Amino acid sequence: MQKDLGKLGIWTMAFDSHPASAVRDAAAELDELGYGTLWYGEAFGRDAVSQGALLLDATKRMVVASGIANMYVRHPLAMASAERSLGEQHPGRFVLGLGGHRVPGPPLMLGGFRIPFSGKPVSGVREYLDQLGEVPLIGAEAVRPRRVLAALGPKMLELAAELTWGAHTYFVPVEHTEMARKRMGSEAYLAVEQGVIVETDTARVREIQRIHLGPYALAPHQRNNLGRLGFGDEDFADGGSDRLLDAVIVGGDLDVIAQRVRDHFDAGADHVCLQVLTAKPGELPLREWRELAALTAVFR
């Protein structure tokens, strides 16, 4: 039986900066706080498979979802085997979010390492998903984990609806959620990441927004996506325009954050996962997670 993701989840990259014992404690508390799903990123810390196992073992109720596991560094055989293993150990509680950051051009370098992938983004992802489905796994049958695809552009959103359970979108305004729903149709699942700053001081909010925007201002796939929605080069200049910052990262009290979540649901989202942003990236925002937990009763 597949576990419902709930309406509200948490998205975080903070776990890699902390020992496993602290991660277990934090995940267990998020489970007790009532969040439906815990999403985690992948970079240069724990790989997505071992991190998923750690979080699933630490929790009892909530769904755990990779957001995302980088398909370009894993052969389909390895990915399919890992997916089946986690799904068997924790039936119905694991969602495999797949994706990467491949754009046309020279080979992608990440931290000095070449990402071993070549080919066009959409056709390359289609081929990978086809191969993933063809892996002849042996062993006990288990509930097959659901897959979602990291998707921003129209063609990738359509591919997500065609070949996976749905899409996981990241760093997007509400207008993108509306577009994604139209592109994917009514049946595909749409899980939207929303950056939040639990802070009412406008100057402080702007400071944290600009810290977070920095890397994405240089990422071609993010700029291209936001460009399709009407944001231009001027919106990325000087740390980001107020219009852009407020569109992708909401700051304020719980009422303000709740309204942004509600806007995503009204635009077609099935699930919204909140990424708490602070002036110290990498810290575990326990205070904010506890405060935001009040919204789990608002969105059920």
Side-chain angles (χ1 to χ4, degrees):
M1 180 177 178
Q2 300 286 11
K3 176 72 175 177
D4 185 4
L5 274 67
K7 301 294 285 185
L8 201 65
I10 289 293
W11 196 104
T12 185
M13 276 289 295
F15 289 147
D16 288 338
S17 302
H18 300 272
S21 58
V23 173
R24 289 191 191 95
D25 290 344
E29 181 171 354
L30 288 170
D31 196 18
E32 291 296 322
L33 286 171
Y35 292 105
T37 304
L38 175 54
W39 297 78
Y40 61 97
E42 180 182 39
F44 288 103
R46 301 178 187 89
D47 81 280
V49 178
S50 59
Q51 187 85 289
L54 174 64
L55 298 173
L56 286 163
D57 285 340
T59 55
K60 298 178 181 179
R61 178 195 58 83
M62 69 193 318
V63 173
V64 171
S66 58
I68 47 74
N70 194 330
M71 64 176 66
Y72 303 143
V73 299
R74 292 181 178 87
H75 190 280
L77 173 59
M79 186 75 88
S81 300
E83 174 191 42
R84 212 288 297 273
S85 298
L86 291 177
E88 181 182 0
Q89 294 167 37
H90 303 275
R93 284 211 302 127
F94 179 62
V95 172
L96 178 64
L98 291 166
H101 304 303
R102 176 62 179 159
V103 294
L108 182 65
M109 302 296 292
L110 187 62
F113 291 86
R114 183 179 183 275
I115 301 300
F117 174 80
S118 61
K120 296 181 179 179
V122 175
S123 60
V125 172
R126 176 182 290 276
E127 180 181 3
Y128 187 96
L129 291 172
D130 287 342
Q131 292 176 353
L132 198 62
E134 294 169 358
V135 174
L137 295 174
I138 62 173
E141 290 294 325
V143 176
R144 178 179 290 276
R146 291 156 290 185
R147 297 171 185 162
V148 293
L149 187 64
L152 293 176
K155 292 182 179 180
M156 198 68 80
L157 288 163
E158 291 169 358
L159 185 65
E162 177 188 353
L163 295 183
T164 73
W165 188 41
H168 174 40
T169 59
Y170 183 93
F171 201 69
V172 295
V174 172
E175 291 80 4
H176 184 274
T177 298
E178 183 177 5
M179 181 274 291
R181 176 51 67 199
K182 290 178 180 177
R183 282 285 178 171
M184 295 197 303
S186 60
E187 298 301 318
Y189 198 82
L190 179 56
V192 180
E193 177 271 348
Q194 174 63 62
V196 301
I197 302 168
V198 188
E199 171 67 64
T200 56
D201 183 277
T202 302
R204 188 66 167 163
V205 169
R206 286 281 179 260
E207 177 187 351
I208 298 171
Q209 285 174 323
R210 290 192 165 98
I211 291 173
H212 189 61
L213 176 69
Y216 299 105
L218 302 175
H221 65 295
Q222 294 290 358
R223 292 185 70 130
N224 291 340
N225 179 58
L226 291 167
R228 286 189 291 265
L229 299 171
F231 295 95
D233 290 341
E234 68 279 5
D235 289 301
F236 291 91
D238 302 321
S241 68
D242 291 353
R243 184 173 79 102
L244 173 59
L245 293 172
D246 289 337
V248 294
I249 305 167
V250 61
D253 60 20
L254 291 191
D255 288 340
V256 172
I257 293 171
Q259 185 57 56
R260 177 62 59 86
V261 173
R262 192 172 292 111
D263 290 343
H264 279 295
F265 287 136
D266 289 344
D270 294 297
H271 174 87
V272 176
C273 42
L274 305 177
Q275 180 179 188
V276 172
L277 306 174
T278 70
K280 297 179 179 179
E283 72 175 356
L284 290 174
L286 296 174
R287 178 185 64 81
E288 290 86 352
W289 286 344
R290 292 163 185 160
E291 189 172 347
L292 287 166
L295 298 183
T296 62
V298 176
F299 301 103
R300 291 192 181 278

